[in-house]
Amino acid sequence: MGTRMMASMLLLSAPNALASNLDDEFAGGSLDRSHWCTCQMDEQLLSFPKDEDGSGDFIARITVNKTVTGEKKCDLSLCTKFEVESEPSQGERLGPSFMREPRMEITAEVAAPKKNPYCLLEDPADKRCMQRQEMRLTKTYQYPFEQLVDYTIRFRMPKEVGNETDSLRWVIAQWKQEPAQQVADAGSAQAKVVKDAGQADEAQEVWEPSPFLAQRYDDGVLHVTVQDGDCRCIVASEKKRASWAHGWENGKSPPDCRFTYPSAFEDRQCVSSLKLEFNGDPKLTSVRDVWTELTYEVKPGRKGSGGSIILTQDGKFVVKVTGKIGYDDVPGKSPKQKFKIGHYRDIMNSEDYMDIDRVSVVAK
């Protein structure tokens, strides 16, 4: 037996050979359950239409409509073979919208949250006024938090957007750190540390961390945010029709950052350790009825000088973000970086979709 053939056989027989890398084009018209867990979505709204490119391949279409209401608890029985870790039962808060204008200034007064016209409840943060229609990568593709991983997403959004004026919060891809330790609550007179995310055995509300990296679509505007603890910053955006005023400066910290922890300071200005590097402006192009490919080179972390995220769109460099990315580790526990894609948003009455042509994940 030749040396090359023997090496090939060893590679094929090796357990989980190349299992940490993924390149899913949904070409067969169905979902690979070894890749994806659908415990937080209505699968009746997941379809696989044919790609219009004439190749005969299929794409994945995740639809959200008014039948999707409330925070859906993850049913691990749907993913038992590949997903065995318990997950927090309460979804993370959506937090502030960077499309809201005018932006809040730091004042002694607390501004009332903007009302969602589709939410009939008094509390706009009530989970019944949220819509979650996401699928997430299985445990095979959940990496140590500080590992360098490249994620590529080729997708498009609908030409028309159901609401473009109320700055309703809309996440279309997110990277979570689990578990994570809550930093000091900036809104309390005496700062304290809250228990680990997902530990609900005590009689208090479960805190869950916001995604340390999120791809967002409030008002139909594609933009990206990065989290430094409880401080969320907008680091790149499609140009909004009315303005282009986030004030980024090359080599400096992003100026538009907001507290996300639920407190009197939520949505108030905060200062992060993050730094931005870009050419011209960290500008994204529209994804309305247009295919685009975003690649994220993700290496989060807070130790030492922190981590980095490099974002490119359709092969063009957009921005590099460096600094303390994510949250502190929970003592004695090793966090993972976990990826979800789909819709997590304030409730709307419109039917919207996200078409996904390819998701590639390469751990380095």
Side-chain angles (χ1 to χ4, degrees):
M1 183 182 292
T3 303
R4 181 176 298 176
M5 182 177 293
M6 182 178 291
S8 299
M9 290 182 67
L10 288 172
L11 177 63
L12 291 172
S13 63
N16 298 319
L18 302 180
S20 62
N21 291 343
L22 167 72
D23 195 353
D24 196 340
E25 296 185 348
F26 310 100
S30 62
L31 202 65
D32 190 327
R33 305 288 171 171
S34 67
H35 297 167
W36 300 101
C37 174
T38 59
C39 66
Q40 288 185 299
M41 72 183 305
D42 179 354
E43 281 204 49
Q44 294 183 20
L45 297 175
L46 173 64
S47 60
F48 296 89
K50 276 197 172 182
D51 196 330
E52 305 96 328
D53 65 2
S55 64
D57 291 344
F58 297 84
I59 61 175
R61 173 169 289 176
I62 303 176
T63 299
V64 59
N65 60 30
K66 61 184 179 181
T67 67
V68 179
T69 58
E71 177 64 41
K72 185 178 180 182
K73 183 177 179 180
C74 177
D75 181 1
L76 288 177
S77 67
L78 298 174
C79 313
T80 302
K81 185 176 179 181
F82 305 102
E83 187 83 23
V84 296
E85 294 179 338
S86 62
E87 293 286 341
S89 60
Q90 177 180 319
E92 68 278 6
R93 293 171 65 91
L94 283 167
S97 171
F98 287 94
M99 297 301 110
R100 181 177 172 183
E101 294 181 357
R103 298 299 299 143
M104 287 175 57
E105 300 295 336
I106 297 177
T107 66
E109 300 178 359
V110 179
K114 190 170 185 178
K115 182 68 176 174
N116 179 348
Y118 311 109
C119 178
L120 302 179
L121 304 173
E122 289 297 322
D123 181 6
D126 191 297
K127 294 298 179 182
R128 290 170 291 179
C129 287
M130 307 296 170
Q131 294 176 307
R132 188 187 287 276
Q133 185 71 344
E134 293 177 303
M135 58 188 190
R136 67 186 185 193
L137 290 177
T138 55
K139 189 178 179 182
T140 303
Y141 309 103
Q142 296 174 359
Y143 306 97
F145 180 61
E146 294 181 345
Q147 183 166 349
L148 174 62
V149 184
D150 286 354
Y151 298 83
T152 298
I153 311 166
R154 188 170 189 267
F155 72 102
R156 69 181 173 190
M157 299 298 287
K159 184 175 182 179
E160 303 296 330
V161 177
N163 185 298
E164 301 181 39
T165 58
D166 291 302
S167 301
L168 301 182
R169 301 160 299 177
W170 190 348
V171 178
I172 55 175
Q174 59 171 303
W175 289 255
K176 295 294 296 294
Q177 175 186 350
E178 293 179 358
Q181 181 164 295
Q182 173 59 35
V183 297
D185 175 0
S188 65
Q190 196 169 21
K192 61 180 180 180
V193 172
V194 179
K195 65 174 190 237
D196 301 353
Q199 296 184 0
D201 50 338
E202 298 176 19
Q204 68 182 91
E205 182 179 0
V206 177
W207 168 83
E208 290 202 18
S210 294
F212 68 86
L213 168 63
Q215 182 176 288
R216 300 174 184 271
Y217 204 55
D218 308 12
D219 285 353
V221 178
L222 179 65
H223 58 292
V224 174
T225 60
V226 175
Q227 203 90 13
D228 174 358
D230 285 331
C231 190
R232 177 185 299 169
C233 301
I234 182 169
V235 300
S237 178
E238 174 191 349
K239 184 175 181 179
K240 192 176 180 183
R241 289 190 300 273
S243 67
W244 180 244
H246 290 292
W248 296 293
E249 293 187 50
N250 199 5
K252 295 187 177 181
S253 298
D256 202 352
C257 299
R258 303 284 148 178
F259 281 116
T260 57
Y261 186 74
S263 70
F265 274 43
E266 185 176 10
D267 202 20
R268 300 291 182 87
Q269 184 74 32
C270 57
V271 177
S272 78
S273 69
L274 305 177
K275 294 287 188 295
L276 304 183
E277 298 175 33
F278 51 84
N279 297 320
D281 274 317
K283 183 180 177 181
L284 299 167
T285 60
S286 175
V287 292
R288 293 193 185 207
D289 202 30
V290 176
W291 288 107
T292 193
E293 185 172 276
L294 293 184
T295 297
Y296 298 84
E297 183 180 290
V298 179
K299 192 180 186 306
R302 300 185 61 79
K303 298 169 186 173
S305 59
S308 68
I309 295 170
I310 299 175
L311 171 60
T312 62
Q313 183 176 30
D314 299 322
K316 180 182 177 181
F317 169 71
V318 176
V319 68
K320 179 179 181 180
V321 185
T322 56
K324 295 187 182 300
I325 297 171
Y327 301 82
D328 290 336
D329 292 352
V330 175
K333 296 183 180 181
S334 300
K336 298 285 187 68
Q337 50 175 291
K338 302 182 179 182
F339 175 73
K340 300 179 182 182
I341 190 167
H343 310 275
Y344 181 41
R345 70 182 191 179
D346 286 317
I347 194 168
M348 301 186 200
N349 64 3
S350 60
E351 178 169 291
D352 300 293
Y353 62 82
M354 180 180 189
D355 282 344
I356 308 168
D357 184 55
R358 177 178 179 237
V359 176
S360 169
V361 184
V362 179
K364 296 183 175 181

